[in-house]
Amino acid sequence: MTSTRPAASPLVQIRRLEKHFPIAGSDDVVRAVDGVSFDIRKGETLGLVGESGCGKTTVGRCIVRLIDPSNGAIAFDGRDITNLSGQGLRELRREMQIIFQDPYSSLNPRLSIRSIISEPLEIHRIGTRAERREMVADLLKRVGLDPKYADRYPHEFSGGQRQRIGIARALALKPKFIVCDEPVSALDVSVQAQVINLLEELQDEFGLTYLFISHGLAVVEHISDRVAVMYLGKIVEICPSEELYRDPLHPYTQALLSAIPIPDPTHKRDRIVLHGDVPTPVNPPSGCRFRTRCPIAIDECAAVVPELRELRNGHFAACIRAEGYASASPAD
């Protein structure tokens, strides 16, 4: 996706975010997110990609404060929200929402669609009962569903329809920012395209800002203005989408992109095959975390923790062997 939106100020600012989960009966912790920094600009879609278990969903849930960060800072629209609680956190819910990966388990099977979508309106005491019914009908129309379905239950809908209901619920409070946590990974390919197109239309209509989390690189390319690549709890590369897919600088990103299928049987892509398993986030490798699987690793990679640095205009990578590293300046 080539963005036509002008550069904007950051809506979300993440600085050295950490989330460590304690292990029962041990002093060790799972370092799910371990020092992540990036901005999300107003009106843009930032894609966040990486292998399963790299920490991308944890980042999204920390941002919307579904889980508390261990360290670091989160700012939203110029306000520090890192330690918000109580009424302050309740008010924040009106400005940021999340769309979950599984459109079935994220919807209460005992509630009607009307109750599911109107629940946030009731919690925040928005409108009368009659006004909320009208709001629900309007939201269903906006996501492409017939308002007469409002009294049905989640099991009566297809996966794509259930995800549209989840999107309607996320829109109910008219938020500024939505975390899309793998919103199409559980859907058929044809339905994925419909939901992605819907998200883009709603973004233009409501001026939304998205963090789009996915392991589907082709989907991320289509919807994102910029893309951040995550590996074992750290961001290893971030830049405009078009540039990342055309000329990635980090060897991990290069390996990921080499695995994307090409819809042309006569054209073969040069695959970069990574050997070995992803190390455990309980005891990650010293230095560069990717070095144990990196095809260009050298001895120095075990001693140096690479910083995320701007190697080209707007193109950041964390690799001591990436071009221009020695003369680069820090990202933040």
Side-chain angles (χ1 to χ4, degrees), residues 283-301:
N283 186 25
S286 63
C288 174
R289 295 190 174 185
F290 183 59
R291 67 175 175 82
T292 58
R293 303 171 73 200
C294 181
I296 62 170
I298 56 177
D299 291 344
E300 189 179 357
C301 296

Side-chain angles (χ1 to χ4, degrees), residues 133-305:
R133 288 179 69 90
E134 291 181 6
M135 291 178 193
V136 170
D138 182 60
L139 285 165
L140 287 172
K141 288 179 184 177
R142 288 176 183 268
V143 298
L145 294 175
D146 194 322
K148 69 182 181 183
Y149 295 160
D151 293 318
R152 296 185 182 182
Y153 289 80
H155 72 272
E156 300 180 73
F157 295 88
S158 68
Q161 289 173 323
R162 285 195 288 264
Q163 195 59 288
R164 289 173 184 266
I165 293 164
I167 293 170
R169 178 178 59 184
L171 290 173
L173 296 176
K174 298 181 179 179
K176 298 177 182 178
F177 172 66
I178 298 179
V179 171
C180 305
D181 184 10
E182 307 231 24
V184 298
S185 63
L187 307 178
D188 293 338
V189 174
S190 60
V191 180
Q192 286 184 10
Q194 295 172 16
V195 173
I196 290 297
N197 290 337
L198 173 63
L199 289 171
E200 290 182 323
E201 292 168 6
L202 293 171
Q203 182 175 42
D204 290 337
E205 182 178 353
F206 294 101
L208 296 169
T209 302
Y210 292 145
L211 175 64
F212 191 92
I213 299 169
S214 180
H215 59 262
L217 292 168
V219 172
V220 169
E221 180 182 16
H222 176 75
I223 195 172
S224 301
D225 299 298
R226 291 186 302 138
V227 179
V229 182
M230 198 166 179
Y231 182 82
L232 204 61
K234 288 186 175 290
I235 300 292
V236 297
E237 188 162 4
I238 183 168
C239 69
S241 175
E242 183 177 314
E243 183 172 345
L244 184 91
Y245 284 82
R246 183 184 69 247
D247 191 16
L249 297 180
H250 197 281
Y252 176 62
T253 309
Q254 293 167 359
L256 284 182
L257 296 181
S258 76
I260 299 177
I262 298 176
D264 181 355
T266 65
H267 184 85
K268 292 186 177 180
R269 190 193 299 272
D270 292 331
R271 285 293 310 276
I272 301 174
V273 179
L274 299 179
H275 299 285
D277 296 326
V278 179
T280 172
V282 177
N283 186 25
S286 63
C288 174
R289 295 190 174 185
F290 183 59
R291 67 175 175 82
T292 58
R293 303 171 73 200
C294 181
I296 62 170
I298 56 177
D299 291 344
E300 189 179 357
C301 296
V304 177
V305 178

Side-chain angles (χ1 to χ4, degrees), residues 3 25 28 65 82 89 94 99 104 126 131 171 179 186 198 214 224-225 230 233 267 272 281 319-320 327:
S3 176
D28 292 330
R65 295 297 318 282
T82 313
L89 187 57
R94 295 188 64 164
I99 300 168
Y104 187 72
I126 297 173
E131 289 171 340
L171 290 173
V179 171
L198 173 63
S214 180
S224 301
D225 299 298
M230 198 166 179
H267 184 85
I272 301 174
C319 176
I320 64 171
S327 61

